[in-house]
Amino acid sequence: AAGVIQSPRHLIKEKRETATLKCYPIPRHDTVYWYQQGPGQDPQFLISFYEKMQSDKGSIPDRFSAQQFSDYHSELNMSSLELGDSALYFCASSPAGSGGAYEQYFGPGTRLTVT
Amino acid sequence: QKEVEQNSGPLSVPEGAIASLNCTYSDRVSQSFFWYRQYSGKSPELIMSIYSNGDKEDGRFTAQLNKASQYVSLLIRDSQPSDSATYLCAALNTGGFKTIFGAGTRLFVKA
């Protein structure tokens, strides 16, 4: 079965650089979520999109932005990178129904290292 | 109170035993709950979802939801060493498009 695809899988950037993470959801899934997970921490919700519109926002820094495109893939843009941005970034997708989205399926993650 | 709370463990059980993982939640979440398993350095993997009071069984896993007491649990029967992982309890917020995770419970199954 098709899974969520994320690229790149690993990314090394220097402080103050920018990074773009991409997520391709499972076919026919219209909702995408982004999470940040630091070492030993639970995933922290960043932002979600439903039908190409932002549906909810969590603890996403102002330096980060994201969008969902017409083909439902999503990109997370990160600028002015800081050392503290080093983490695993997961994307998840879900089919949505009335009242909100349901089971989420996670991609393999992008490991971002800021040096 | 945090929206979703779990005992971080670690929880250690012998192989073949039943592992019981618990989670409590606040009024600030919806009635959609999920259990994920996460191996170190890997992405969370959905195990079960539960929306109604009572039990839901899938193979060796049983999820239980008690809305009156605001807790969700996951039972793993015949625990195997390969079940050793962090188990994350999660709930949707009332808007339905934000998932709130608990801190996760680390489970060790001893051979």
PDB file of all heavy atoms in Angstrom, chain B residues 46-64:
ATOM      1  N   LEU B  46       0.340   3.887  13.491  1.00  0.00           N
ATOM      2  CA  LEU B  46      -0.994   3.766  14.077  1.00  0.00           C
ATOM      3  C   LEU B  46      -1.293   2.314  14.439  1.00  0.00           C
ATOM      4  O   LEU B  46      -1.154   1.417  13.609  1.00  0.00           O
ATOM      5  CB  LEU B  46      -2.041   4.280  13.092  1.00  0.00           C
ATOM      6  CG  LEU B  46      -3.489   4.200  13.549  1.00  0.00           C
ATOM      7  CD1 LEU B  46      -3.755   5.164  14.702  1.00  0.00           C
ATOM      8  CD2 LEU B  46      -4.437   4.511  12.390  1.00  0.00           C
ATOM      9  N   ILE B  47      -1.715   2.095  15.690  1.00  0.00           N
ATOM     10  CA  ILE B  47      -2.109   0.759  16.125  1.00  0.00           C
ATOM     11  C   ILE B  47      -3.626   0.643  16.148  1.00  0.00           C
ATOM     12  O   ILE B  47      -4.204  -0.291  15.600  1.00  0.00           O
ATOM     13  CB  ILE B  47      -1.564   0.456  17.532  1.00  0.00           C
ATOM     14  CG1 ILE B  47      -0.046   0.489  17.553  1.00  0.00           C
ATOM     15  CG2 ILE B  47      -2.056  -0.910  18.022  1.00  0.00           C
ATOM     16  CD1 ILE B  47       0.532   0.330  18.938  1.00  0.00           C
ATOM     17  N   MET B  48      -4.259   1.587  16.846  1.00  0.00           N
ATOM     18  CA  MET B  48      -5.704   1.502  17.045  1.00  0.00           C
ATOM     19  C   MET B  48      -6.291   2.896  17.110  1.00  0.00           C
ATOM     20  O   MET B  48      -5.647   3.836  17.548  1.00  0.00           O
ATOM     21  CB  MET B  48      -6.032   0.825  18.379  1.00  0.00           C
ATOM     22  CG  MET B  48      -5.546  -0.581  18.571  1.00  0.00           C
ATOM     23  SD  MET B  48      -6.695  -1.771  17.884  1.00  0.00           S
ATOM     24  CE  MET B  48      -7.991  -1.719  19.106  1.00  0.00           C
ATOM     25  N   SER B  49      -7.544   2.979  16.702  1.00  0.00           N
ATOM     26  CA  SER B  49      -8.326   4.180  16.964  1.00  0.00           C
ATOM     27  C   SER B  49      -9.571   3.751  17.719  1.00  0.00           C
ATOM     28  O   SER B  49     -10.040   2.619  17.559  1.00  0.00           O
ATOM     29  CB  SER B  49      -8.717   4.865  15.660  1.00  0.00           C
ATOM     30  OG  SER B  49      -9.488   3.984  14.852  1.00  0.00           O
ATOM     31  N   ILE B  50     -10.090   4.619  18.553  1.00  0.00           N
ATOM     32  CA  ILE B  50     -11.309   4.287  19.294  1.00  0.00           C
ATOM     33  C   ILE B  50     -12.103   5.553  19.514  1.00  0.00           C
ATOM     34  O   ILE B  50     -11.550   6.606  19.863  1.00  0.00           O
ATOM     35  CB  ILE B  50     -10.986   3.553  20.618  1.00  0.00           C
ATOM     36  CG1 ILE B  50     -12.269   3.060  21.291  1.00  0.00           C
ATOM     37  CG2 ILE B  50     -10.158   4.421  21.553  1.00  0.00           C
ATOM     38  CD1 ILE B  50     -12.018   2.030  22.395  1.00  0.00           C
ATOM     39  N   TYR B  51     -13.397   5.466  19.257  1.00  0.00           N
ATOM     40  CA  TYR B  51     -14.250   6.637  19.338  1.00  0.00           C
ATOM     41  C   TYR B  51     -15.423   6.442  20.298  1.00  0.00           C
ATOM     42  O   TYR B  51     -16.030   7.407  20.742  1.00  0.00           O
ATOM     43  CB  TYR B  51     -14.816   6.981  17.954  1.00  0.00           C
ATOM     44  CG  TYR B  51     -13.775   7.080  16.869  1.00  0.00           C
ATOM     45  CD1 TYR B  51     -13.713   6.119  15.859  1.00  0.00           C
ATOM     46  CD2 TYR B  51     -12.847   8.118  16.839  1.00  0.00           C
ATOM     47  CE1 TYR B  51     -12.755   6.209  14.857  1.00  0.00           C
ATOM     48  CE2 TYR B  51     -11.897   8.203  15.841  1.00  0.00           C
ATOM     49  CZ  TYR B  51     -11.864   7.240  14.852  1.00  0.00           C
ATOM     50  OH  TYR B  51     -10.918   7.318  13.860  1.00  0.00           O
ATOM     51  N   SER B  52     -15.744   5.174  20.596  1.00  0.00           N
ATOM     52  CA  SER B  52     -16.922   4.884  21.418  1.00  0.00           C
ATOM     53  C   SER B  52     -16.508   4.234  22.729  1.00  0.00           C
ATOM     54  O   SER B  52     -15.484   3.554  22.805  1.00  0.00           O
ATOM     55  CB  SER B  52     -17.858   3.940  20.672  1.00  0.00           C
ATOM     56  OG  SER B  52     -18.210   4.463  19.417  1.00  0.00           O
ATOM     57  N   ASN B  53     -17.334   4.400  23.725  1.00  0.00           N
ATOM     58  CA  ASN B  53     -17.111   3.751  25.016  1.00  0.00           C
ATOM     59  C   ASN B  53     -17.004   2.238  24.844  1.00  0.00           C
ATOM     60  O   ASN B  53     -17.695   1.653  24.019  1.00  0.00           O
ATOM     61  CB  ASN B  53     -18.299   4.032  25.945  1.00  0.00           C
ATOM     62  CG  ASN B  53     -17.944   5.052  27.013  1.00  0.00           C
ATOM     63  OD1 ASN B  53     -16.785   5.324  27.270  1.00  0.00           O
ATOM     64  ND2 ASN B  53     -18.967   5.626  27.620  1.00  0.00           N
ATOM     65  N   GLY B  54     -16.134   1.631  25.622  1.00  0.00           N
ATOM     66  CA  GLY B  54     -16.044   0.184  25.583  1.00  0.00           C
ATOM     67  C   GLY B  54     -14.712  -0.278  25.035  1.00  0.00           C
ATOM     68  O   GLY B  54     -13.723   0.445  25.066  1.00  0.00           O
ATOM     69  N   ASP B  55     -14.703  -1.515  24.582  1.00  0.00           N
ATOM     70  CA  ASP B  55     -13.486  -2.153  24.101  1.00  0.00           C
ATOM     71  C   ASP B  55     -13.503  -2.291  22.591  1.00  0.00           C
ATOM     72  O   ASP B  55     -14.549  -2.469  21.972  1.00  0.00           O
ATOM     73  CB  ASP B  55     -13.353  -3.554  24.717  1.00  0.00           C
ATOM     74  CG  ASP B  55     -13.187  -3.511  26.220  1.00  0.00           C
ATOM     75  OD1 ASP B  55     -13.171  -2.397  26.793  1.00  0.00           O
ATOM     76  OD2 ASP B  55     -13.071  -4.587  26.836  1.00  0.00           O
ATOM     77  N   LYS B  56     -12.299  -2.253  22.036  1.00  0.00           N
ATOM     78  CA  LYS B  56     -12.117  -2.516  20.602  1.00  0.00           C
ATOM     79  C   LYS B  56     -10.889  -3.395  20.473  1.00  0.00           C
ATOM     80  O   LYS B  56      -9.821  -3.039  20.963  1.00  0.00           O
ATOM     81  CB  LYS B  56     -11.941  -1.206  19.836  1.00  0.00           C
ATOM     82  CG  LYS B  56     -11.737  -1.391  18.342  1.00  0.00           C
ATOM     83  CD  LYS B  56     -11.573  -0.048  17.653  1.00  0.00           C
ATOM     84  CE  LYS B  56     -11.338  -0.215  16.164  1.00  0.00           C
ATOM     85  NZ  LYS B  56     -11.108   1.088  15.490  1.00  0.00           N
ATOM     86  N   GLU B  57     -11.067  -4.525  19.823  1.00  0.00           N
ATOM     87  CA  GLU B  57      -9.989  -5.506  19.751  1.00  0.00           C
ATOM     88  C   GLU B  57      -9.475  -5.642  18.329  1.00  0.00           C
ATOM     89  O   GLU B  57     -10.252  -5.617  17.366  1.00  0.00           O
ATOM     90  CB  GLU B  57     -10.493  -6.868  20.250  1.00  0.00           C
ATOM     91  CG  GLU B  57      -9.419  -7.932  20.390  1.00  0.00           C
ATOM     92  CD  GLU B  57      -9.962  -9.201  21.029  1.00  0.00           C
ATOM     93  OE1 GLU B  57     -10.756  -9.099  21.980  1.00  0.00           O
ATOM     94  OE2 GLU B  57      -9.609 -10.287  20.539  1.00  0.00           O
ATOM     95  N   ASP B  58      -8.166  -5.799  18.212  1.00  0.00           N
ATOM     96  CA  ASP B  58      -7.544  -6.032  16.914  1.00  0.00           C
ATOM     97  C   ASP B  58      -6.314  -6.892  17.148  1.00  0.00           C
ATOM     98  O   ASP B  58      -5.282  -6.395  17.586  1.00  0.00           O
ATOM     99  CB  ASP B  58      -7.168  -4.706  16.241  1.00  0.00           C
ATOM    100  CG  ASP B  58      -6.603  -4.908  14.843  1.00  0.00           C
ATOM    101  OD1 ASP B  58      -6.511  -6.066  14.383  1.00  0.00           O
ATOM    102  OD2 ASP B  58      -6.247  -3.900  14.197  1.00  0.00           O
ATOM    103  N   GLY B  59      -6.472  -8.172  16.899  1.00  0.00           N
ATOM    104  CA  GLY B  59      -5.360  -9.085  17.137  1.00  0.00           C
ATOM    105  C   GLY B  59      -4.984  -9.135  18.600  1.00  0.00           C
ATOM    106  O   GLY B  59      -5.834  -9.357  19.468  1.00  0.00           O
ATOM    107  N   ARG B  60      -3.722  -8.896  18.885  1.00  0.00           N
ATOM    108  CA  ARG B  60      -3.267  -8.934  20.276  1.00  0.00           C
ATOM    109  C   ARG B  60      -3.533  -7.628  21.026  1.00  0.00           C
ATOM    110  O   ARG B  60      -3.260  -7.530  22.214  1.00  0.00           O
ATOM    111  CB  ARG B  60      -1.754  -9.234  20.307  1.00  0.00           C
ATOM    112  CG  ARG B  60      -1.364 -10.599  19.778  1.00  0.00           C
ATOM    113  CD  ARG B  60       0.111 -10.886  20.010  1.00  0.00           C
ATOM    114  NE  ARG B  60       0.989  -9.981  19.271  1.00  0.00           N
ATOM    115  CZ  ARG B  60       1.785  -9.087  19.842  1.00  0.00           C
ATOM    116  NH1 ARG B  60       1.835  -8.968  21.164  1.00  0.00           N
ATOM    117  NH2 ARG B  60       2.569  -8.311  19.099  1.00  0.00           N
ATOM    118  N   PHE B  61      -4.070  -6.654  20.334  1.00  0.00           N
ATOM    119  CA  PHE B  61      -4.294  -5.335  20.932  1.00  0.00           C
ATOM    120  C   PHE B  61      -5.776  -5.118  21.260  1.00  0.00           C
ATOM    121  O   PHE B  61      -6.651  -5.459  20.471  1.00  0.00           O
ATOM    122  CB  PHE B  61      -3.837  -4.230  19.977  1.00  0.00           C
ATOM    123  CG  PHE B  61      -2.377  -4.290  19.622  1.00  0.00           C
ATOM    124  CD1 PHE B  61      -1.965  -4.888  18.441  1.00  0.00           C
ATOM    125  CD2 PHE B  61      -1.417  -3.748  20.461  1.00  0.00           C
ATOM    126  CE1 PHE B  61      -0.613  -4.947  18.115  1.00  0.00           C
ATOM    127  CE2 PHE B  61      -0.069  -3.795  20.139  1.00  0.00           C
ATOM    128  CZ  PHE B  61       0.331  -4.408  18.965  1.00  0.00           C
ATOM    129  N   THR B  62      -6.028  -4.534  22.422  1.00  0.00           N
ATOM    130  CA  THR B  62      -7.366  -4.111  22.800  1.00  0.00           C
ATOM    131  C   THR B  62      -7.293  -2.688  23.336  1.00  0.00           C
ATOM    132  O   THR B  62      -6.527  -2.411  24.258  1.00  0.00           O
ATOM    133  CB  THR B  62      -7.971  -5.019  23.890  1.00  0.00           C
ATOM    134  OG1 THR B  62      -8.078  -6.352  23.396  1.00  0.00           O
ATOM    135  CG2 THR B  62      -9.366  -4.523  24.284  1.00  0.00           C
ATOM    136  N   ALA B  63      -8.062  -1.808  22.728  1.00  0.00           N
ATOM    137  CA  ALA B  63      -8.170  -0.441  23.232  1.00  0.00           C
ATOM    138  C   ALA B  63      -9.455  -0.337  24.039  1.00  0.00           C
ATOM    139  O   ALA B  63     -10.470  -0.937  23.701  1.00  0.00           O
ATOM    140  CB  ALA B  63      -8.176   0.556  22.083  1.00  0.00           C
ATOM    141  N   GLN B  64      -9.387   0.412  25.110  1.00  0.00           N
ATOM    142  CA  GLN B  64     -10.551   0.612  25.966  1.00  0.00           C
ATOM    143  C   GLN B  64     -10.748   2.099  26.170  1.00  0.00           C
ATOM    144  O   GLN B  64      -9.796   2.820  26.443  1.00  0.00           O
ATOM    145  CB  GLN B  64     -10.341  -0.078  27.319  1.00  0.00           C
ATOM    146  CG  GLN B  64     -10.128  -1.576  27.225  1.00  0.00           C
ATOM    147  CD  GLN B  64      -9.750  -2.194  28.563  1.00  0.00           C
ATOM    148  OE1 GLN B  64      -8.951  -1.640  29.308  1.00  0.00           O
ATOM    149  NE2 GLN B  64     -10.329  -3.350  28.864  1.00  0.00           N
TER     150      GLN B  64
END
